[in-house]
Amino acid sequence: MEPPDAWARTRGAPRLLVLALLLGAQPDAQAEVQVSVPPLVEVMRGESVALNCTPLGVHDYFMLEWYLADRSGVRHRLASGELRGSEIQGGVHSSRGRSPPYQLDSQGRLMLAEAQVGDERDYVCVVTVGATVTAEATVRLQVFAKPEATEVAPNRGTLSVTDDIAQEIATCNSRNGNPAPKITWHRNGEPLQVPMEVNTEGYMTSRTVREASGLQSLTSTLYLRLRKTDRDASFHCSVHYLLPKGQHGRLDSPPFGLTLHYPTEHVQFWVGSPATTEGWVREGDSVQLFCRGDGSPSPEYTFYRLQDKQEDVLKINLEGNLTLERVQRGQSGIYGCRVEDYDAEEDAELSQTLELRVAYLDPLELSNGEELALPLGGSLATNCSVKGLPTPTLRWTKDSIPLGDGPTLSLSSVTFDSAGSYTCEASMPTVPLLSRNRILRLLVEGSPELRPEETLPKAEGSWTEGDEVRLVCSARGYPEPKLKWSQAGGHPAEPAPGGQGWVSSSLTLKVTSALSQDGVSCEASNPHGNARHVFHFGPVAPQTSQAGVAVMAVAISVGLLLLVVAAFYCMRRKGRPGCCRQGEKGAP
């Protein structure tokens, strides 16, 4: 059989081959026969195929024979038939071991069921008209087979980038295809242009094997001189195969990477979370130090601390991580990391250092303690102090309202409104989560202050005898004042709504003429003095109009009762002469 490139060159040939042979048994005998066959028939493995052989022109009778030509040119007769009427009658003489066997149909076509690679041969059709006039033509059968899935076997060892020769990268296998496929190699999706000749930069080798089934398997091995940039490269191989009618197919292998060995050139050393943007860490936090060299495989890392220019080794590992649990302020200082890579260049910088700064903030101190009492109208100057690193900022607030920055709180001419809680806050702008505060409670001492104006529900002089009134008396001062009413029934003092040291007591009673003369007094007292307020009602109107209405209602009720009694009496005397008659004399 011809090599694959031979049949490829015939694809441009015409699909119809006409062979005319003029043969004669005697010089004066002339006859002509023309046979039409396709020069090339393409089929996929496993499919059925029919080889056509058609004599051109009108013939009442002819004989047709099919031969198989082997690689040496020897022909082997397969089938024959002769034209009887409109059909060719004949049969197969020899299938030469083919299974299923050849068949000859009524049109003279040679039938091959389930095409096999072994069927790739030249088939010769011979047509004889009369006794001596013969013509023949040859058809080439091409059987295609799609190869199996592409397999790749990468080098799983550690490849060194320091080698100055090409190293074996991977082997790619394509099995059971026909004709033999072609293999290409790719790096990061781009095809590699590597020759078949051995050289130091890269090359590839290929080997084709014909299997017992007649199918072909191809093996390709890639060799490359590697660089450090190949540490993240993705490689794969592609198998390109032919299909009928000039079509092509492609099968890609799974991608793979390589494990490379290359020396360290650079080292990075940094503080991980929870470090701030300024590089500070909080006292009490667990701090991680990270060290990374760019060598492969991962080198050994040595962590140390510099104290008096001496290295105090802290840890040695392959991960490049060091954790300082609950770091304290005394652990501030210079820390270093060194990569132990003996393959590195002599001028490579294999160690790095950094400064670890531990931020801390001690509890705040108040110069006058957490509670301070001042007399009404007095002045105050108190300090808030703190120790911390970096230097903290101080601020005073009251009820979340800023009073001023700095350690000193100054107040003058204090009033009862000045009493309350003052907060000293310490914070660090460079370490946002590190802060403390301390509360100063200020007490203002003085005689009670009364607030009775809002308690009267009516204006003075608009009261009537018997009206109910609720009086409220509020006071503030320190010590907390006691409230006392001139009339019984007052409620104990309670904190008033709104706070600010006010307490209040209420009294509910009925307005009388006696109260209009003396009023009702509320008195607040504490050790510093007392304050008194009198609630006046003015003239109280009597309830006369209400008494007249009550007398009239009683009179009407009595009159109605007498009418009901009279009507009842008349009903009892019914039927008696003169009963209930107007003007009747005498007693009923």
Side-chain angles (χ1 to χ4, degrees), residues 31-229:
E32 182 180 359
V33 178
Q34 293 181 339
V35 180
S36 173
V37 297
L40 178 66
V41 175
E42 298 175 332
V43 64
M44 289 297 297
R45 178 172 176 260
E47 295 180 354
S48 298
V49 62
L51 302 181
N52 292 318
C53 181
T54 305
L56 300 180
V58 178
H59 302 280
D60 295 333
Y61 174 82
F62 63 83
M63 290 186 62
L64 182 146
E65 295 175 296
W66 280 101
Y67 292 88
L68 174 64
D70 61 18
R71 292 177 176 82
S72 63
V74 178
R75 295 181 178 182
H76 304 276
R77 189 180 183 211
L78 300 179
S80 65
E82 56 184 39
L83 179 63
R84 297 288 179 87
S86 61
E87 296 182 353
I88 294 178
Q89 297 181 1
V92 175
H93 300 287
S94 174
S95 290
R96 300 188 58 79
R98 188 187 192 279
S99 179
Y102 299 107
Q103 291 183 353
L104 186 69
D105 69 359
S106 60
Q107 302 299 317
R109 296 181 299 180
L110 185 64
M111 310 296 295
L112 290 79
E114 299 179 8
Q116 306 165 10
V117 177
D119 293 329
E120 282 193 336
R121 299 289 182 90
D122 289 340
Y123 296 85
V124 182
C125 174
V126 179
V127 175
T128 303
V129 177
T132 58
V133 181
T134 302
E136 68 177 46
T138 302
V139 57
R140 166 66 61 86
L141 178 62
Q142 177 72 49
V143 180
F144 293 87
K146 178 182 176 181
E148 298 174 0
T150 304
E151 299 177 352
V152 66
N155 190 336
R156 294 302 183 186
T158 301
L159 306 176
S160 177
V161 301
T162 59
D163 291 351
D164 54 0
I165 61 173
Q167 304 173 74
E168 181 179 335
I169 302 302
T171 298
C172 186
N173 292 305
S174 176
R175 303 183 187 278
N176 298 324
N178 195 66
K182 179 182 177 182
I183 291 180
T184 59
W185 290 93
H186 302 262
R187 174 170 52 194
N188 296 328
E190 297 295 329
L192 287 170
Q193 303 299 331
V194 289
M196 301 295 292
E197 298 80 16
V198 177
N199 64 77
T200 58
E201 291 300 320
Y203 61 95
M204 60 181 291
T205 63
S206 295
R207 183 169 62 94
T208 303
V209 176
R210 183 174 292 275
E211 307 291 348
S213 61
L215 298 172
Q216 301 182 72
S217 299
L218 178 64
T219 300
S220 176
T221 303
L222 175 66
Y223 297 84
L224 286 178
R225 182 179 178 181
L226 298 171
R227 301 291 190 271
K228 189 175 180 179
T229 54

Side-chain angles (χ1 to χ4, degrees), residues 560-580:
L560 291 174
L561 180 61
L562 291 176
L563 289 175
V564 171
V565 172
F568 180 74
Y569 175 77
C570 289
M571 291 175 66
R572 293 291 299 269
R573 301 288 297 175
K574 190 175 181 180
R576 295 182 182 181
C579 178
C580 296

Side-chain angles (χ1 to χ4, degrees), residues 532-553:
R532 184 170 179 271
H533 176 77
V534 179
F535 294 89
H536 294 284
F537 302 97
V540 177
Q543 294 183 345
T544 54
S545 57
Q546 290 83 350
V549 172
V551 171
M552 185 177 295

